[in-house]
């Protein structure tokens, strides 16, 4: 792109705090439907600034709002490359818009000198600011994967400036250093979730992932609602109380130097065992939190790593290949995945985790393994205990005013969808600030 093909040539960067953390009246008006997004940006009034001098080119500059230049032209918000180019006769200034407003707030790494990244702060096309810890490895292979993630999160990108975007992200590493965690769970004294870090030193750690989704740990409703609609109904229901307790056990395993493992609720269809599983999953997240046994051993390994130091909820063991069940049970309890070789033949890092496991099925672990021609071993029986769901009303002893077991189950399922993801975080707020030595006692 040349000066002639642009709306505006450029200049020095906008003043610090130029919109990144400020409430814009025009933006509020836009979200209320009064103006279009482009109009909202255009209404930000700035003092005209001089173009970037030739002596400072090439350079990248970020403008958080429409920026007037001396002479009446304007730069639209975003990252600009201010350079020089030869037009066949002489060097002339060249200004290229790369993408929407995108700041490099910090350099991330895992504390061992590996897994470097950038903490990005950018404004999406809806006018909202977002943060994302980007692994640097996403810039390999021409950065197509990186652009795909940024586009999915709403950042506008100039397709013809792909190489310039990669240059901008690498040219000057930010001076600020932040430790990154590559999976959910404990990172030193803090607990990392995809969208937040909990603990006294939370500001020094951030979750870094090549994917922006991670909707498993979503939240809805309130903690009081969870207590009233879910936890209170576990009173006088031993299996229900057991399942909820297991959901909170995950963060304690690593702190107590304990191995993982869990419970396998066994019972006929419609007894309420899956309802217990859903209620336990509501401690940490919403409808996407629960997983199915319908996966390969490698797939379940990936799920276990995803729910490190939390609860791994697996529904309906009959959907798993019975020949894999024994291997999976050992793997979940030991907290280690398979050793694999890289493309060069060297050993790849092994996935590790601590998980409290809740499983359901109409058949026991031993019966399922027998269908695959295997015999259950003592180590497998200990790591995932069979718990029969044979109470007065299926899995329930007390129905708390409901007419039947199925009606009681339906009420809990509705509540699990309405109030989720809050109880686990409240527990972590207390656990990460434990001053009474509760974990040491355990």
């Amino acid at each position: 792109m040349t000066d002639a093909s642009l709306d505006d040539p450029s200049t020095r960067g906008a003043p610090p705090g130029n919109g990144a953390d400020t409430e814009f009246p025009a933006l509020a008006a836009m979200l209320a439907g009064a103006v279009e997004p482009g109009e909202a940006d255009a209404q930000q009034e700035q003092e005209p600034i001089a173009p970037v001098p030739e002596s400072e080119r090439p350079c990248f500059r970020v403008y958080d709002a429409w920026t007037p230049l001396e002479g009446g032209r304007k730069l639209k918000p975003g990252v600009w490359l201010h350079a020089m180019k030869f037009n066949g006769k002489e060097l002339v200034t060249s200004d290229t818009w790369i993408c929407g407003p995108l700041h490099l707030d910090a350099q991330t790494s895992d504390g061992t000198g590996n897994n470097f990244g950038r903490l990005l702060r950018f404004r999406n096309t809806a006018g909202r600011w977002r943060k994302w810890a980007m692994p640097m490895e996403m810039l390999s292979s021409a950065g197509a994967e990186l652009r795909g993630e940024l586009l999915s999160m709403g950042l506008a990108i100039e397709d013809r400036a792909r190489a310039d975007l990669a240059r901008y992200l690498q040219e000057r590493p930010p001076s600020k250093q932040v430790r990154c965690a590559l999976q959910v769970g404990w990172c030193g004294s803090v607990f990392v979730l995809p969208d937040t870090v909990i603990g006294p030193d939370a500001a020094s750690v951030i979750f870094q992932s090549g994917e922006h989704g991670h909707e498993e740990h979503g939240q809805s409703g309130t903690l009081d609602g969870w207590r009233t609609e879910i936890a209170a109904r576990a009173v006088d229901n031993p299996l229900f109380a057991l399942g909820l307790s297991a959901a909170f056990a995950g963060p304690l395993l690593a702190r107590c130097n304990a191995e993982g493992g869990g419970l396998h609720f066994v019972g006929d269809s419609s007894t309420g065992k899956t309802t217990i599983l859903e209620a336990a999953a509501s401690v940490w997240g919403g409808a996407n939190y629960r997983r199915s046994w319908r996966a390969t051993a490698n797939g379940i390994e990936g799920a276990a790593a995803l729910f490190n130091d939390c609860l791994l909820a697996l529904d309906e063991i009959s959907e798993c290949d019975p020949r894999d069940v024994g291997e999976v049970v050992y793997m979940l309890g030991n907290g280690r995945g398979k050793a694999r070789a890289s493309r060069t033949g060297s050993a790849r890092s092994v996935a590790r985790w601590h998980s409290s496991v809740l499983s359901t099925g109409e058949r026991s672990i031993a019966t399922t393994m027998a269908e695959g021609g295997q015999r259950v071993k003592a180590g497998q029986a200990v790591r995932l205990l069979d718990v029969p769901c044979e109470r007065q009303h299926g899995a329930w002893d007390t129905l708390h005013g409901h007419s039947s077991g199925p009606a009681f189950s339906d009420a809990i399922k509705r509540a699990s969808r309405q109030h989720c993801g809050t109880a686990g975080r409240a527990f972590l707020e207390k656990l990460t600030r434990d001053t009474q030595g509760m974990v040491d006692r355990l």
Side-chain angles (χ1 to χ4, degrees):
M1 298 176 68
T2 65
D3 282 354
S5 64
L6 295 173
D7 290 337
D8 328 75
S10 180
T11 164
R12 294 174 299 179
N18 183 22
D21 301 300
T22 307
E23 292 286 334
F24 289 132
L27 177 57
M30 178 198 77
L31 295 177
V35 294
E36 294 298 320
E39 295 173 339
D41 285 332
Q43 292 180 21
Q44 308 309 314
E45 295 184 1
Q46 310 259 346
E47 290 295 326
I49 56 177
V52 174
E54 294 182 6
S55 60
E56 296 182 14
R57 296 170 181 255
C59 65
F60 291 98
R61 298 285 165 81
V62 186
Y63 307 92
D64 291 342
W66 283 92
T67 303
L69 300 174
E70 294 175 353
R73 303 174 72 185
K74 291 183 178 180
L75 290 173
K76 72 176 181 178
V79 178
W80 286 77
L81 170 60
H82 303 299
M84 302 291 295
K85 76 167 190 175
F86 189 68
N87 67 358
K89 296 181 179 180
E90 59 182 350
L91 285 174
V92 296
T93 59
S94 172
D95 302 282
T96 305
W97 184 81
I98 308 301
C99 63
L102 171 64
H103 296 269
L104 281 59
D105 284 352
Q107 180 175 217
T108 62
S109 63
D110 64 3
T112 67
N114 295 303
N115 294 299
F116 277 77
R118 297 282 188 269
L119 178 55
L120 307 182
R121 174 170 51 90
F122 59 92
R123 190 168 66 202
N124 62 24
T125 53
R128 297 174 181 172
W129 288 90
R130 297 191 60 171
K131 283 191 175 184
W132 177 47
M134 173 205 77
M136 290 300 291
E137 64 187 20
M138 295 187 75
L139 289 170
S140 62
S141 302
E145 183 181 3
L146 166 66
R147 292 192 300 277
E149 289 294 328
L150 288 172
L151 288 168
S152 179
M153 287 186 275
L155 180 67
I157 300 175
E158 170 55 62
D159 187 63
R160 291 171 290 182
R162 297 177 180 181
D164 294 325
L165 175 60
R167 282 178 55 199
Y168 169 65
L169 294 172
Q170 298 181 84
E171 189 174 56
R172 293 184 181 178
S175 58
K176 183 179 179 180
Q177 303 273 338
V178 175
R179 182 177 178 182
C180 67
L182 304 182
Q183 66 181 141
V184 166
W186 289 106
C187 183
S189 62
V190 301
F191 199 96
V192 179
L193 294 174
D195 63 337
T196 190
V197 179
I198 299 174
D201 300 320
S204 63
V205 179
I206 192 166
F207 179 68
Q208 179 169 297
S209 171
E211 300 176 357
H212 70 276
H214 299 285
E215 298 176 349
E216 296 84 6
H217 291 270
Q219 295 184 84
S220 68
T222 64
L223 178 59
D224 286 341
W226 186 88
R227 287 169 169 160
T228 302
E229 301 296 323
I230 297 177
R233 289 169 172 164
V235 174
D236 295 327
N237 278 310
L239 293 187
F240 194 6
L242 179 62
L244 292 183
S245 299
F248 290 99
L252 299 174
L253 296 175
R255 285 293 184 262
C256 298
N257 297 314
E259 289 187 346
L263 310 168
H264 176 62
F265 288 110
V266 186
D268 294 335
S269 178
S270 302
T271 57
K273 59 186 185 298
T274 297
T275 301
I276 295 177
L277 190 73
E278 291 185 11
S282 74
V283 170
W284 296 105
N288 294 327
Y289 193 93
R290 183 180 50 148
R291 288 295 190 267
S292 170
W293 272 99
R294 189 177 182 180
T296 64
N298 290 343
I300 294 179
E301 175 185 327
L306 183 65
F307 298 111
N308 177 52
D309 290 327
C310 293
L311 170 72
L312 175 61
L314 296 172
D315 194 23
E316 197 46 66
I317 198 170
S318 63
E319 294 186 349
C320 182
D321 188 332
R323 294 170 296 181
D324 292 338
V325 170
E327 175 189 349
V328 169
V329 171
Y330 264 133
M331 177 184 69
L332 294 179
N334 293 337
R336 292 188 299 274
K338 290 182 179 179
R340 297 177 175 87
S342 66
R343 288 176 295 179
T344 62
S346 59
R348 293 169 55 185
S349 59
V350 176
R352 298 179 183 275
W353 61 84
H354 280 90
S355 292
S356 174
V357 184
L358 276 183
S359 167
T360 69
E362 296 181 22
R363 296 171 295 189
S364 67
I365 299 295
T367 301
T368 303
M369 290 181 61
E371 291 187 358
Q374 301 179 2
R375 294 178 58 187
V376 66
K377 299 178 181 177
Q380 293 161 326
V382 169
R383 282 168 171 79
L384 202 59
L385 301 175
D386 288 327
V387 179
C389 292
E390 299 173 354
R391 312 298 293 187
Q392 185 175 353
H393 306 282
W396 321 114
D397 287 55
T398 304
L399 299 180
H400 291 274
H402 290 270
S403 59
S404 64
F408 185 56
S409 294
D410 289 342
I412 295 172
K413 288 180 178 180
R414 288 194 301 270
S416 298
R417 291 190 290 269
Q418 185 177 359
H419 302 285
C420 58
T422 56
R425 297 179 188 228
F427 179 65
L428 292 175
E429 290 287 351
K430 299 292 186 181
L431 183 60
T432 55
R433 292 169 172 81
D434 175 27
T435 59
Q436 299 180 7
M438 293 297 184
V439 171
D440 292 336
R441 297 181 194 178
L442 291 174

